[in-house]
């Protein structure tokens, strides 16, 4: 009858209007959007910081980097999960007092960690998504502004590290766990043994474990214990005025001088161990026991 035809015609029109509105909202303030095998990437730009432009790199719903384009100080300021009081900020600032540093970073994002680079430093990024490198190089300036020498190795980080000679990293940052899909091959005893082969004496492993769905603290604690290393969990608060997110990092090292630094020593706790949790290896791993139900 005509009543049903009218009902479904109106519903179809309303659905079409809704699709157009959602698309326009998604594209609002979007500088770049693209999709490949590894998911969708989008760079958004707004005026979220007073008097300055802010640019954000997002992979799906997860933000992987923010830069504030104002003064030189603002542009070079590490934001989001990488603030100076975050775990990785402490590792960068206090790992190697008075000398140059060699840094490895698994996960490029916007290249925010390049902000910590000083003349004479070398920062080596590992990035599996080939679309990320040109975005970090052309739409963000952390890498261009860095005082350090930087390079980017494309491909799976574990495979790349396996084929490289020991890099002697003072800090190796493992930052690939903030999304919904956890690359578990980067969190096994075999992976940690590989990381240690590339660490300099007294080097620091910095695991970024901020995640809405999975509590990665207990598995990392087990990995550190199995490797005979000390683990410290560092949680830092958000600061909206500076574009900083709340972040949780686990620092794993045998460098007692670093652990005794006052700014580090105020975080004395190791990640909480979970009774019954098995050590993750290449032959066995399961996120079920550590899901945030």
């Amino acid at each position: 009858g005509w009543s049903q035809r009218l009902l479904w015609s109106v519903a179809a029109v309303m659905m079409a209007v809704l699709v157009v509105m959602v698309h326009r909202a998604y594209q609002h303030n979007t500088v770049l959007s693209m999709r490949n095998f590894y998911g969708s990437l989008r760079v958004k730009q707004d005026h979220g910081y007073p008097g300055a432009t802010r640019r954000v790199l997002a992979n799906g719903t997860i933000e992987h980097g923010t830069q504030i384009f104002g003064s030189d100080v603002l542009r070079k300021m590490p934001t989001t999960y990488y603030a100076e009081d975050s775990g990785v900020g402490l590792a960068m600032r206090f790992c190697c007092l008075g000398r140059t540093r060699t840094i490895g970073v698994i996960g490029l994002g916007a290249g925010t960690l390049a902000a910590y680079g000083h003349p004479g430093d070398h920062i080596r990024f590992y990035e599996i998504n080939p679309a990320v490198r040109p975005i970090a190089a052309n739409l963000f300036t952390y890498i261009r502004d860095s005082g350090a020498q930087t390079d980017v190795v494309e491909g799976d980080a574990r495979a790349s590290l396996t084929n490289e000679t020991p890099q002697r990293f003072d800090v190796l940052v493992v930052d690939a766990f903030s999304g919904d899909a956890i690359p578990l091959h980067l969190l096994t005893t075999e992976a940690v043994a590989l990381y240690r082969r590339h660490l300099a004496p007294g080097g620091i492993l910095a695991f970024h474990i901020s995640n809405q769905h999975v509590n990665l603290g207990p598995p990392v604690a087990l990995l550190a214990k199995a490797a005979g290393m000390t683990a410290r969990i560092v949680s830092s608060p958000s600061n909206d005025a500076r574009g900083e997110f709340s972040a949780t990092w686990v620092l794993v090292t045998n460098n007692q001088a670093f652990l005794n630094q006052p700014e580090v020593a105020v975080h004395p706790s190791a990640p909480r161990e979970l009774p019954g949790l098995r050590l993750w290896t290449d032959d066995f791993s399961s996120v079920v026991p550590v899901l945030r139900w």
Side-chain angles (χ1 to χ4, degrees), residues 51 58 82 84 107 126 146 182 187-188 196 199 203 208 272 275 281:
Y82 314 103
E84 291 187 353
Y126 297 86
S146 180
I182 305 299
L187 275 178
T188 65
R196 294 189 70 188
L199 283 181
H208 184 199
R272 181 178 60 88
T281 69

Side-chain angles (χ1 to χ4, degrees), residues 52-281:
T53 297
R54 181 179 63 178
R55 195 168 282 179
V56 178
L57 171 63
N59 185 344
T61 60
I62 307 298
E63 293 190 6
H64 285 286
T66 295
Q67 187 170 19
I68 301 169
F69 291 86
S71 64
D72 284 349
V73 173
L74 290 176
R75 194 177 70 248
K76 297 177 181 179
M77 179 177 67
T79 58
T80 61
Y81 304 103
Y82 314 103
E84 291 187 353
D85 63 343
S86 68
V88 72
L90 297 178
M92 291 289 198
R93 291 162 56 202
F94 300 111
C95 74
C96 320
L97 297 176
R99 64 177 178 85
T100 59
R101 303 163 297 175
T102 301
I103 309 295
V105 183
I106 298 176
L108 173 60
T112 309
L113 287 176
Y116 287 99
H118 301 305
D121 293 345
H122 179 209
I123 304 178
R124 188 174 181 85
F125 292 93
Y126 297 86
E127 175 56 51
I128 194 171
N129 189 341
V132 173
R133 181 177 184 176
I135 291 175
N138 297 302
L139 295 180
F140 298 86
T141 68
Y142 285 119
I143 292 178
R144 279 181 278 161
D145 291 339
S146 180
Q149 174 191 351
T150 64
D151 59 7
V152 180
V153 179
E154 292 186 355
D156 179 81
R158 184 166 167 185
S160 298
L161 288 168
T162 299
N163 295 322
E164 291 180 350
T165 58
Q167 298 295 306
R168 297 182 63 82
F169 293 126
D170 296 298
V171 180
L172 177 56
V173 182
V174 190
D175 180 24
F177 311 121
S178 57
D180 299 337
I182 305 299
L184 293 178
H185 70 296
L186 299 178
L187 275 178
T188 65
T189 54
E190 293 85 354
V192 171
L194 177 63
Y195 303 153
R196 294 189 70 188
R197 183 168 72 86
H198 285 279
L199 283 181
I204 303 165
L205 293 174
F207 292 92
H208 184 199
I209 64 167
S210 304
N211 193 287
Q212 298 180 17
H213 310 290
V214 183
N215 177 17
L216 293 174
V220 174
L222 275 183
L223 291 170
K225 184 176 180 180
M229 303 176 76
T230 300
R232 291 288 181 268
I233 191 164
V234 178
S235 296
S236 54
S238 62
N239 186 330
D240 293 338
R242 294 175 58 87
E244 299 171 0
F245 299 163
S246 60
T248 305
W249 292 79
V250 179
L251 306 180
V252 178
T253 185
N254 284 328
N255 188 336
Q256 198 59 46
F258 168 77
L259 295 174
N260 289 338
Q261 290 287 333
E263 290 84 351
V264 181
V266 297
H267 303 278
S269 299
R272 181 178 60 88
E273 294 189 11
L274 192 63
L277 181 67
R278 287 178 57 185
L279 185 68
W280 288 358
T281 69

